[in-house]
Amino acid sequence: TSQSLTQHLEDWVSVSCPYCGEDIDVHVTSEQDGQSMYEDCSVCCRPVALLIQVEDEELQVEAYRS
């Protein structure tokens, strides 16, 4: 049986808040690949939707208005 082994990735990623434009740091892991999570902006306190994806063994995070 062939088993695909994916490397565990874990990092703090900086994203721009879609409301106020300030950078916020979020902690993400490769286990969250394809998932959305919600984080309040540490500057304007509005809820930010974050889409986490692993591409080319790198964690990618996109921020959207929640």
Side-chain angles (χ1 to χ4, degrees), residues 23-48:
D23 285 345
I24 54 175
D25 292 327
V26 292
H27 184 258
V28 293
T29 68
S30 53
E31 281 77 25
Q32 295 168 302
D33 185 24
Q35 295 182 19
S36 291
M37 63 184 249
Y38 297 89
E39 189 85 26
D40 288 340
C41 174
S42 56
V43 179
C44 71
C45 299
R46 291 184 180 161
V48 178

